[in-house]
Amino acid sequence: MSRSTSVIPGFGLTLGYTLVYLSLLVLIPLGALFLKTTELSWAQFIAIVSAPRVLAALKLSFGTAFAAAVLNGVIGTLLAWVLVRYRFPGRKLIEAMIDLPFALPTAVAGIALTALYAPNGPIGQFATQMGFKIAYSPLGITLALTFVTLPFVVRTLQPVLADIPREVEEAAACLGARPLQVVRHVLLPALLPAWLTGFALAFARGVGEYGSVIFIAGNMPMKTEILPLLIMVKLDQYDYVGATAIGVLMLVVSFILLLAINLLQRRIAHG
């Protein structure tokens, strides 16, 4: 019985390198995280992760990350569409600006956003006069996460949009489809799997973001304290087991949510 072979040999070697690489950088550190948590009894672990301060930080971190991912899902889709479908002066500059959060240190982004949206900042003063504040609130955290995670959605959607021929849209229009029908029945089915990928990447980055958030959040316990900061507080108090327990909580919740998104993406792609 013949066995099909790859044009480029070396499956065993490359698979071995891949497994070693993943083990050293992902599996072993995560395994150590769970191993450290075994120093706690189940009751102690539940007591730590169910503390009101931890639950408030959990709700804030995942809630603002989700909101930022949804917001970027809309803004990023529009940006990707404009950059792919149109040619205009300044397009290359916008392309570079989208990639800026990748290169800019997150602490610099946090300081800049705080200076802009703080109560004495140019936009923060106007917001204060309107009766609400941006910095030192969940809104400010969401804006910071939106800034940091925007490239994930745009860069995920751009190649997919570029692969959709314009002739398909024109054919649908010639057959009598209205613009909204073209978007709904032609573009969305092709874009949705990539959109979910960009959403998942933005959400995952937002959950663990630290540098750009701590300056604009205000870090008030039970109000604007995010989970990564709470882990740092535990470490500063030499409560390594408590910090590990919170880290495991973040890992488990993130894994469940990302798994659900990936399953939904696969179902849509094969449905």
Side-chain angles (χ1 to χ4, degrees), residues 29-114:
L30 294 182
L33 185 69
F34 281 95
L35 185 62
K36 183 69 175 178
T37 312
T38 58
E39 298 179 10
L40 294 169
S41 66
W42 180 250
Q44 291 173 325
F45 176 80
I46 293 299
I48 292 174
V49 300
S50 62
R53 185 176 179 182
V54 175
L55 293 179
L58 177 72
K59 180 180 178 181
L60 178 67
S61 293
F62 282 88
T64 53
F66 182 84
V70 171
L71 185 59
N72 273 333
V74 178
I75 299 174
T77 302
L78 295 177
L79 278 173
W81 174 264
V82 170
L83 293 174
V84 170
R85 285 291 191 252
Y86 302 102
R87 298 294 180 267
F88 52 90
R91 178 175 172 273
K92 294 296 183 182
L93 178 61
I94 296 178
E95 290 266 11
M97 291 174 61
I98 290 174
D99 289 331
L100 191 60
F102 282 143
L104 190 68
T106 55
V108 175
I111 293 173
L113 291 172
T114 304

Side-chain angles (χ1 to χ4, degrees), residues 99-185:
D99 289 331
L100 191 60
F102 282 143
L104 190 68
T106 55
V108 175
I111 293 173
L113 291 172
T114 304
L116 186 64
Y117 295 115
N120 58 347
I123 299 180
Q125 288 181 349
F126 178 75
T128 302
Q129 294 173 359
M130 297 292 292
F132 66 97
K133 63 179 181 179
I134 300 176
Y136 317 129
S137 70
L139 176 59
I141 298 174
T142 303
L143 289 177
L145 295 180
T146 303
F147 171 81
V148 172
T149 60
L150 177 63
F152 291 96
V153 178
V154 177
R155 295 311 183 201
T156 303
L157 289 176
Q158 270 186 290
V160 180
L161 278 170
D163 288 338
I164 301 177
R166 294 190 180 186
E167 290 78 7
V168 176
E169 305 164 30
E170 295 172 357
C174 291
L175 292 174
R178 293 187 294 272
L180 288 179
Q181 290 177 319
V182 174
V183 172
R184 180 180 177 183
H185 298 290

